[in-house]
Amino acid sequence: MERAPGSGSAPGPGRWAATACVVTGASRGFGRSLARLLAPQLGPGSALLLLARSEDALAELASELRAGATGSATGSATGSAIGSATGSGELRVRCVAADLGCEEGLRRAGAALRELLRDESFGRLLLVNNAGSLGDISKSFLDLTDLEEINAYFSFNISSALCLTSTALRAFGARPGCSRTVVNVSSLCALEPFPSWALYCSGKAARDMMFRVLALEEPGVRVLSYAPGPLDTDMQLLARTQTGDPGLRQRFQRLQEQGQLIPSSVSAQKLLRLLQEDSFPSGAHVDFFDV
């Protein structure tokens, strides 16, 4: 992996120089934890673009990250974008509040990506496709008869990741000497069926295969599907209270009662280590428990 020099005013050991980093679903849970860990990893000349539906939560996170990077919270919200910090040694943080499940939100996110990646000084692109949803897990397979509901789920969980990734890679281009890494936040559900989770399991499986195709077609792009494990998040709360299958619901409840849920920050740290080491086979599915 390209690293910045380790002397003078250059970033400390291991920090990445001039990186365009993009995280979707960054306003809470795993995405928020990962953004907090990535920010100090990004050296001078870098920019961090945060995408999610909640403008207020994004603004709060951006202020926190700028405070950590510069010693004070700088910049102010303007519409859906947050003004970036200035100065060569400061991390530029931008936010776009967009619903990736609708055409307008996806258009707004794509435009922000293209604007960011016009900057040809970046030596690295890191895109983390984290945004996702469970769907209605109270329903069994036979309950899923509403085409509009099904199409809306796959549009948000599969199509938007495909469109954003294609947009980012085309905008960044194959710049000589530069690296490109795409992360798909996956799940054990991409590999194993869970009763009453037909939408979620099929969505995660489709995303894994989609990104395996990307790795095959674009050998110059590093591609990773990372399953973060059973996280202690709002999504896990939904899983143990709304899952239609009684056995699976009880399984999630036991994980919580026995303290076996994983803090988002712990799992995000493992993903960061994978990215720092950069030794995974491109297109691989790597689980939290295998790292």
Side-chain angles (χ1 to χ4, degrees):
M1 299 179 83
E2 179 188 2
R3 299 188 186 279
S7 60
S9 60
R15 290 178 71 195
W16 301 328
T19 299
C21 182
V22 182
V23 181
T24 70
S27 63
R28 60 180 181 169
F30 184 75
R32 192 180 186 94
S33 293
L34 184 61
R36 286 170 169 158
L37 287 174
L38 285 171
Q41 179 71 31
L42 306 175
S46 296
L48 178 58
L49 176 61
L50 306 172
L51 297 168
R53 284 177 289 187
S54 173
E55 183 173 358
D56 290 343
L58 284 176
E60 178 185 336
L61 176 59
S63 294
E64 175 190 328
L65 296 182
R66 290 197 196 97
T70 68
S72 62
T74 59
S76 58
T78 305
S80 62
I82 307 298
S84 61
T86 59
S88 59
E90 298 173 349
L91 177 65
R92 292 174 286 162
V93 181
R94 295 196 58 207
C95 302
V96 174
D99 181 355
L100 300 181
C102 70
E103 187 174 346
E104 172 57 26
L106 193 56
R107 184 202 63 77
R108 188 182 306 125
L113 273 174
R114 286 188 290 270
E115 179 184 354
L116 173 69
L117 298 178
R118 284 197 192 104
D119 186 345
E120 296 185 357
S121 67
F122 294 124
R124 176 192 302 276
L125 170 66
L126 172 60
L127 169 61
V128 181
N129 290 287
N130 170 66
S133 64
L134 279 175
D136 190 344
I137 53 175
S138 70
K139 294 181 177 180
S140 70
F141 187 103
L142 299 184
D143 293 326
L144 294 169
T145 58
D146 186 333
L147 184 61
E148 184 176 352
E149 174 190 3
I150 295 167
N151 285 344
Y153 182 84
F154 289 133
S155 178
F156 174 51
N157 287 278
I158 302 174
S159 303
S160 69
L162 173 58
C163 290
L164 280 183
T165 302
S166 298
T167 296
L169 291 175
R170 289 176 66 90
F172 191 83
R175 304 177 186 181
C178 296
S179 66
R180 296 167 291 166
T181 301
V182 174
V183 177
N184 164 43
V185 176
S186 185
S187 169
L188 176 63
C189 294
L191 308 178
E192 296 185 12
F194 282 41
S196 77
W197 284 34
L199 290 178
Y200 188 78
C201 289
S202 55
K204 287 299 186 182
R207 274 173 58 143
D208 266 33
M209 182 55 73
M210 183 172 76
F211 285 105
R212 286 177 62 189
V213 170
L214 172 63
L216 187 64
E217 289 185 357
E218 299 290 338
V221 178
R222 303 284 287 135
V223 182
L224 172 66
S225 288
Y226 174 70
L231 300 176
D232 190 7
T233 61
D234 292 341
M235 185 177 285
Q236 173 58 217
L237 175 61
L238 290 175
R240 63 179 182 267
T241 57
Q242 297 187 13
T243 296
D245 181 78
L248 184 58
R249 187 170 64 250
Q250 291 167 11
R251 176 179 165 186
F252 289 131
Q253 289 169 352
R254 283 195 298 270
L255 287 176
Q256 194 270 336
E257 292 165 358
Q258 296 170 5
Q260 294 180 344
L261 297 178
I262 302 165
S264 291
S265 59
V266 173
S267 185
Q269 185 64 59
K270 283 199 176 183
L271 174 55
L272 178 59
R273 190 191 315 159
L274 282 168
L275 295 173
Q276 289 169 329
E277 294 174 352
D278 195 29
S279 60
F280 54 86
S282 189
H285 174 107
V286 178
D287 191 276
F288 170 86
F289 295 105
D290 297 332
V291 180

